[in-house]
Amino acid sequence: MKVLVAVNEFKGSLSSYEVGRIVSNKINKSFGDYQVEMEVVADGGDGFLNLFKNFEKKQFKTINAAQKECKVNYLMNLKTKEAVIEVAEVIGIKQLTEDQKDPYITSTAGLGKLISHLLEQGIENFIIGLGGSATNDCGIGMLTELGIRFVGKNDEICQHGISELKKIEKIDYSCKNKKLEKAKFTIISDVNSPLYGQKGATYVYSKQKGLKEEDFLEVDEVVENFAKLVSKELGKDYSSYEGSGAAGGLGFAFLSFLTSNIQSGSSFMINYLDIEKKIQEVDFLITGEGKLDRQSYMGKAPIVLARIAKKYDKKVIFLAGSIIDKELLNLSAEDKKIVDVSFSIQREFLPLEIAMNKSVAKSNLEETIEQIFRVLEFYNG
């Protein structure tokens, strides 16, 4: 039998590549009758850079979301004037300590510094994966670094975080980087959420970035007011576009101020790797991610892969660090059929920091695969 292993990262623990190798090696070592193929999964979030070939890996000194100096990786091809940026690598939540997670302060400025540097290098085509950010500033930090200034009541420049986002009264384009005239941005989003509202950036994603639930309403109103100001200036409103709420409103910033098109991270990955063809050629798919919950069904790659597998009547096994059953109960009848079986890899109750330790997660993954394939062997006689 043929198996395709295509599992998203277990955020904060194992990368997509690491999960794939652990699962594949275990199957090959203990169950030799299976042919295993592995693909790295990245739909715009952590690990996005690992998808690409024919690019040179580079480093750049910038600032992270907490405005602390850091070195970040990116990809560049000077011949084609292309660059690939992973937002999670530059202003990602994974880089911050718990006490640094504060969307009132965290900023996208470090991303703007990198883009500005690449413009000076002659880059004209950007591919940017939006997932995993620590920000909710609607991109004002990034845009300020590109010369678009956001001005408050007393003519102060507003650049960093929600605390300054709410002060903005006008927009000044007089210093906009002229190299942006030739620049085109392909934005890869791992979510399809709008900018604001109950399904928007603040309500769905900002809690993990450090925002308190009692602040959701106030912050969402700040984001909505900013969107209305921008829309009035432009004569067009991008706030309801799918993916505009990605990365705390970075999707909205790119669509509104830069020459950009936004694509589903899952679709981009599937087309780039030609995964649909590979799914047709196997008997079942092993996919998954750190948490299986309602967000998994909002455009995340593992469920998109599972939908493709169902299209060809393939079985789907889903691996997760945790499974939120109470959220899955509210799925539609059709969505409930997408995953045939799901397994949490946790073998015992452990504190989160221990469960996410690489060696512990590896051991749990191997034991879970052992149990799954024993059942398959029993079932297949």
Side-chain angles (χ1 to χ4, degrees), residues 32-285:
D33 293 336
Y34 292 87
Q35 298 178 42
V36 185
E37 186 172 353
M38 186 200 101
E39 284 290 355
V40 172
V41 175
D43 50 13
D46 295 289
F48 185 63
L49 297 182
N50 294 329
L51 291 181
F52 295 88
K53 301 172 183 177
N54 303 319
F55 285 85
E56 183 180 359
K57 182 176 278 191
K58 296 281 205 173
Q59 279 198 330
F60 178 70
K61 184 183 286 187
T62 184
I63 56 174
N64 64 18
Q67 302 170 54
K68 305 296 183 183
E69 277 197 359
C70 63
K71 284 186 177 180
V72 302
N73 296 311
Y74 66 93
L75 303 178
M76 183 167 70
N77 185 328
L78 281 176
K79 289 183 179 179
T80 59
K81 298 183 179 180
E82 289 181 286
V84 183
I85 298 173
E86 181 181 310
V87 163
E89 174 76 11
V90 185
I91 50 167
I93 196 168
K94 66 181 181 180
Q95 298 173 337
L96 305 187
T97 61
E98 285 301 316
D99 62 341
Q100 289 177 324
K101 295 176 185 177
D102 182 358
Y104 280 96
I105 300 171
T106 48
S107 172
T108 53
L111 176 62
K113 290 179 184 293
L114 175 55
I115 293 172
S116 181
H117 166 73
L118 290 171
L119 289 171
E120 293 300 319
Q121 299 296 306
I123 298 299
E124 295 179 356
N125 298 297
F126 294 80
I127 301 172
I128 301 184
L130 290 190
S133 85
T135 57
N136 206 84
D137 72 350
C138 296
I140 62 168
M142 173 191 74
L143 293 168
T144 302
E145 294 293 332
L146 297 175
I148 301 171
R149 297 187 296 186
F150 299 90
V151 185
K153 190 174 184 178
N154 298 314
D155 289 332
E156 76 271 28
I157 302 301
C158 304
Q159 181 177 10
H160 300 301
I162 296 165
S163 61
E164 295 189 8
L165 181 70
K166 64 184 179 182
K167 298 177 182 178
I168 296 170
E169 295 193 355
K170 58 183 178 180
I171 306 171
D172 177 5
Y173 301 94
S174 62
C175 296
K176 184 177 178 180
N177 191 322
K178 288 183 169 46
K179 287 182 167 38
L180 287 170
E181 293 175 5
K182 292 184 178 180
K184 295 181 180 179
F185 297 84
T186 299
I187 307 306
I188 310 304
S189 174
D190 62 347
V191 298
N192 55 16
S193 55
L195 180 60
Y196 57 83
Q198 292 291 323
K199 295 182 179 180
T202 302
Y203 275 94
V204 180
Y205 306 107
S206 65
K207 185 176 181 179
Q208 66 189 15
K209 303 177 184 185
L211 192 67
K212 296 177 182 177
E213 287 188 47
E214 57 262 34
D215 292 335
F216 284 3
L217 177 60
E218 177 188 355
V219 171
D220 199 52
E221 288 177 351
V222 169
V223 171
E224 182 178 357
N225 289 337
F226 174 72
K228 288 178 177 178
L229 172 64
V230 172
S231 301
K232 184 178 179 180
E233 288 259 344
L234 299 177
K236 188 167 184 179
D237 184 3
Y238 290 96
S239 62
S240 62
Y241 277 48
E242 288 191 356
S244 64
L250 263 177
F252 176 77
F254 277 105
L255 290 170
S256 298
F257 294 97
L258 305 173
T259 304
S260 306
N261 71 87
I262 194 162
Q263 297 183 23
S264 156
S266 302
S267 297
F268 178 86
M269 177 198 69
I270 288 162
N271 292 331
Y272 189 81
L273 298 175
D274 200 15
I275 286 184
E276 183 160 352
K277 181 181 178 182
K278 293 171 183 175
I279 289 176
Q280 292 179 56
E281 296 171 349
V282 301
D283 295 292
F284 62 90
L285 167 71

Side-chain angles (χ1 to χ4, degrees), residues 285-304:
L285 167 71
I286 297 178
T287 189
E289 61 182 341
K291 183 186 292 185
L292 176 59
D293 59 8
R294 69 185 181 94
Q295 287 190 33
S296 304
Y297 289 78
M298 296 172 68
K300 293 295 185 77
I303 292 299
V304 174

